[in-house]
Amino acid sequence: MHVDLARRSFPMAARPLLNLPAFATEFSPAIDVHLFTSAGSTGVAGSQVHRQSGRGFAERFENAIETMAKLGYDEVVAVGRDCPSLRARDIEQAFDELASKKLVLGPDHRGGCYLIAFRTANRELIRDVRWKRNTDCAQLLHRAGAAHVSLLPVKQDLDSWSDVRIFARSGDPLARLASFLLGLFSISRRQVVPIVSFAARHMRMRQQMPPPAFAA
């Protein structure tokens, strides 16, 4: 969680926006929750925690998929932790849609995906995707073919303060927290900038040469 917040330059007060809901307590017993995370991180209630392996996002994601396949799972729904409006019913719907589709995608507002559902038998569709370019959804849609893909409603993930600003205008229950954080962020910037400006002005005054006392 600390890494996720630091990468986005979010304060600790933003933690609820990136908290995974307690999905494990809402699902039917037929659904297992597995969390792939960095060393030292803890899971959510009822989840099985695995340490991530790999040098980058693509390698870590593909390794996680292989782990699920080796554990014998036929269907997988993969989600991140940066979509605060994600609900258990979205994941339940994704499993339902897999009965007739190769992929189920939850597009985010930038063209990425907040959810990817697939059968492990079709996991080759997920390999060698150029992730994090805001084209994830389009790439996967092209690979599987539009007729074989089910698209869930567009949701917003949070990677920057601009995303938080957009989310604050949504009707999500956490939108009020987003608005509060934006207010704090705005206040902190107003406090820091004048101090920095004064310090810079003081430094310039110290470094300037005094005017000559006598001049012809």
Side-chain angles (χ1 to χ4, degrees):
M1 173 61 73
H2 293 282
V3 174
D4 292 328
L5 291 170
R7 184 173 67 82
R8 296 167 173 81
S9 299
F10 290 173
M12 283 299 296
R15 183 169 183 162
L17 295 177
L18 300 184
N19 268 343
L20 286 171
F23 288 145
T25 63
E26 302 177 32
F27 291 137
S28 69
I31 298 178
D32 298 329
V33 178
H34 294 258
L35 182 66
F36 289 83
T37 184
S38 57
S41 298
T42 57
V44 295
S47 66
Q48 301 179 49
V49 181
H50 308 266
R51 182 173 178 175
Q52 290 178 334
S53 64
R55 290 173 295 178
F57 176 83
E59 189 174 340
R60 290 194 296 269
F61 188 32
E62 291 181 10
N63 288 341
I65 293 171
E66 289 304 313
T67 297
M68 301 309 294
K70 290 176 182 178
L71 289 173
Y73 290 96
D74 296 321
E75 297 178 339
V76 174
V77 177
V79 301
R81 71 184 312 157
D82 55 357
C83 180
S85 58
L86 181 68
R87 300 291 183 267
R89 62 179 175 269
D90 299 315
I91 296 173
E92 296 273 11
Q93 181 182 350
F95 276 117
D96 291 341
E97 297 286 342
L98 276 179
S100 58
K101 301 293 183 179
K102 288 184 178 180
L103 289 178
V104 182
L105 303 176
D108 68 29
H109 66 296
R110 286 190 304 269
C113 294
Y114 65 84
L115 178 152
I116 303 173
F118 54 93
R119 297 185 188 87
T120 52
N122 295 326
R123 61 187 183 277
E124 288 300 319
L125 292 170
I126 315 296
R127 289 192 175 276
D128 301 320
V129 172
R130 301 181 71 188
W131 302 104
K132 305 293 187 181
R133 296 175 182 268
N134 298 334
T135 60
D136 310 1
C137 189
Q139 291 180 70
L140 292 168
L141 191 64
H142 176 74
R143 286 177 172 217
H148 302 290
V149 177
S150 178
L151 293 176
L152 300 181
V154 175
K155 291 182 183 288
Q156 187 181 352
D157 61 11
L158 303 181
D159 265 337
S160 67
W161 282 105
S162 296
D163 294 336
V164 175
R165 189 171 294 108
I166 297 171
F167 182 70
R169 297 194 293 268
S170 72
D172 192 271
L174 287 172
R176 293 181 63 183
L177 173 60
S179 297
F180 174 73
L181 291 171
L182 285 169
L184 287 180
F185 180 70
S186 177
I187 291 172
S188 66
R189 289 191 64 182
R190 287 198 300 268
Q191 289 176 337
V192 170
V193 171
I195 293 173
V196 172
S197 299
F198 174 79
R201 186 166 60 250
H202 183 64
M203 183 62 69
R204 286 197 300 271
M205 291 174 62
R206 290 179 57 189
Q207 291 177 345
Q208 286 176 347
M209 294 294 292
F214 304 96

